[in-house]
Structure formats: structure tokens, C-alpha cells
Amino acid sequence: MTKEELSIELEKLGIILTEEQSRQLEKFYQILIEENEKINLTRITEKHEVYLKHFYDSLTLIKLIDFSQVETVLDVGSGAGFPGIVLKIVFPHLKITLLDALKKRVNYLNKTIDLLNLKNIVAIHERSEVYAHKNKESFDIVTARAVANLKVLSELTIPLVKLGGYFLAMKGNIEEEVKEAEEQIEILGGKIVQIDEFALPKEGGNRTLIKIEKMKTTPNQYPRTMDKIKKAKKK
């Protein structure tokens, strides 16, 4: 996907990129490639694939939520900055927190934030299960992209969502995951309100977006255990 093709496809989603936003995305790509030579951030490095499978893919979240009505976003397991940094570039009013358990990635994220001169966005070095206990029900939107299976992921994310807010999960094909996670999601105070399955342009692969509304306060004790945490890390 070229820069021009990205703009065309995003227009179909109702997103009109400014020249400045296009310039920032291009600079983000350059930073990503340079830093990827130092630490392992992504296996996708070809420019047309980054634009499709990282930039465009990150912005498909607009299918689930009107970000103009959102203030605070948490990106759990942000990794190379997807979708968090892309969301910040395209929706600059957002106050975004990027969370990652690897210090090297957090250093990269904060360096990228500085180089792109982004404001009201910060990267934090913390395990998500620890951060959840410290920051319960603090964000309008919590999102995670290909972090863990949905049942495990729910315990890492739903407690962080404000009442009336949403957890947005970005996955591949996960029909069985949804079935296995439904009871867990309900225990944590959530409810699946939308599932959007689609294919990326240019045969870029299938995607599934899951929108979970926070219907009631999450209990203080979650059913999650350290054994589950260790298993999730290995996947």
C-alpha cells in the first residue's frame, strides 16, 4: 500500500489525512525501520506492508468507535506503537498511554514520541496485570492488538475501562476465542456489543475487531493467576 493508496482507503473509513499527518506517518516509518535494526520491533519492514498492515490496520478501529468523542486511550502491549502512535497522529486530541512490559520497547516508544513532537502521549514500562490494579477504570478506551488470547486479554484490559467505556480487541480469526471468553468477560463487567470481521485491502489478510462495553464495575479480585500470566507470555 502506497501513501496515496492509504489516503484513499482511509477516506472510505471517513478519515481524511492532512499533509502534516501524512508527513508524520512517513517519519514514523523511517524511525521504525531505523530502530528495528537495534531491537526487534516488527518482522514487517517493507514500506508498502507497513502502511497496510500497521498504519491502515491500526486505523480500522474507527469501524468500532467515533474517536472524536473519546478523550483517553490506553494501548496495552503497544510494542512498536500500533495502534497507539498511529491513533495519536490521526486523532491528535487524544490523551494516549502506551503500555509495554519490555523496557527497550518503552525507550523506543518515548524516543519516537519525542522525534514526532507528539503531546499528551506517554509510554510506560509496566506489566499490564500490575498496571490494571493501580489504574482501575481510568480510560474511555482500552485497546490491544494481537497481545494474547481473548480470555486472558480480558483480564488485562476490562478492569482498566471506565464504566460506559469500551475495550477494543484487534485480532485475526478468533471464533473459538470469543466463545471461550464470553463468561470471563461477563465476570469482569463487560459485554460484547460488536464484532466486525473483514479483509484488509490488497489481500492483506483477515481481521476481527471486537467491541466490549464496560457495563458494571470489575470485581476487586480477578480469576486470573500467575500461571495464566506465564502461559500468556509464551504464546
Side-chain angles (χ1 to χ4, degrees):
M1 174 176 281
T2 64
K3 290 188 291 184
E4 293 73 21
E5 288 170 335
L6 175 66
S7 294
I8 291 170
E9 291 298 330
L10 288 180
E11 282 190 35
K12 296 177 184 178
L13 298 178
I15 297 172
I16 308 297
L17 291 179
T18 66
E19 290 186 11
E20 174 63 12
Q21 288 166 344
S22 294
R23 185 195 65 78
Q24 285 181 304
L25 287 173
E26 174 66 19
K27 186 173 181 179
F28 183 19
Y29 168 74
Q30 297 297 337
I31 296 168
L32 174 67
I33 297 307
E34 289 174 10
E35 295 299 315
N36 198 54
E37 294 180 358
K38 304 172 187 175
I39 62 173
N40 183 27
L41 295 168
T42 178
R43 290 175 294 178
I44 298 171
T45 56
E46 293 294 331
K47 189 172 183 178
H48 67 281
E49 287 202 321
V50 171
Y51 268 72
L52 173 61
K53 296 182 179 180
H54 284 327
F55 293 172
Y56 176 83
D57 188 42
S58 293
L59 292 167
T60 59
L61 283 175
I62 196 70
K63 292 172 173 281
L64 300 184
I65 203 81
D66 179 3
F67 280 96
S68 68
Q69 304 301 310
V70 173
E71 182 179 4
T72 57
V73 175
L74 172 67
D75 180 11
V76 173
S78 189
F82 306 114
I85 289 180
V86 180
L87 288 174
K88 180 61 183 179
I89 289 171
V90 177
F91 303 102
H93 72 281
L94 294 175
K95 297 177 181 178
I96 296 185
T97 301
L98 310 176
L99 188 66
D100 202 276
L102 186 64
K103 182 63 174 176
K104 287 183 179 180
R105 283 198 295 259
V106 171
N107 290 340
Y108 148 79
L109 289 168
N110 279 318
K111 179 179 180 179
T112 302
I113 289 167
D114 289 341
L115 290 173
L116 292 174
N117 196 30
L118 300 176
K119 308 300 181 185
N120 290 320
I121 178 171
V122 63
I124 295 176
H125 177 226
E126 186 73 272
R127 290 167 65 95
S128 50
E129 58 271 12
V130 175
Y131 190 80
H133 283 279
K134 297 177 182 176
N135 297 274
K136 188 177 177 182
E137 297 177 358
S138 298
F139 297 90
D140 299 325
I141 298 292
V142 177
T143 188
R145 182 173 180 253
V147 172
N149 74 65
L150 188 60
K151 186 174 181 179
V152 171
L153 194 56
S154 296
E155 278 199 43
L156 301 178
T157 54
I158 294 175
L160 289 154
V161 181
K162 292 179 181 179
L163 283 175
Y166 298 93
F167 166 47
L168 309 180
M170 309 181 74
K171 308 286 286 184
N173 294 317
I174 58 160
E175 184 176 348
E176 288 304 315
E177 278 190 40
V178 172
K179 292 178 181 178
E180 293 174 358
E182 285 179 334
E183 183 179 358
Q184 181 87 320
I185 290 168
E186 184 177 351
I187 290 171
L188 294 163
K191 180 182 179 181
I192 297 174
V193 294
Q194 184 180 347
I195 297 177
D196 194 330
E197 300 177 274
F198 61 97
L200 292 177
K202 294 182 168 293
E203 300 182 351
N206 296 323
R207 296 290 186 271
T208 303
L209 300 177
I210 304 166
K211 183 178 183 180
I212 298 172
E213 185 174 1
K214 183 69 166 283
M215 308 294 289
K216 59 184 179 180
T217 297
T218 300
N220 288 327
Q221 298 298 322
Y222 319 148
R224 186 167 172 76
T225 66
M226 289 307 296
D227 284 342
K228 290 180 182 177
I229 291 170
K230 291 175 183 176
K231 289 178 182 177
K233 294 289 183 182
K234 293 178 181 177
K235 292 184 177 180

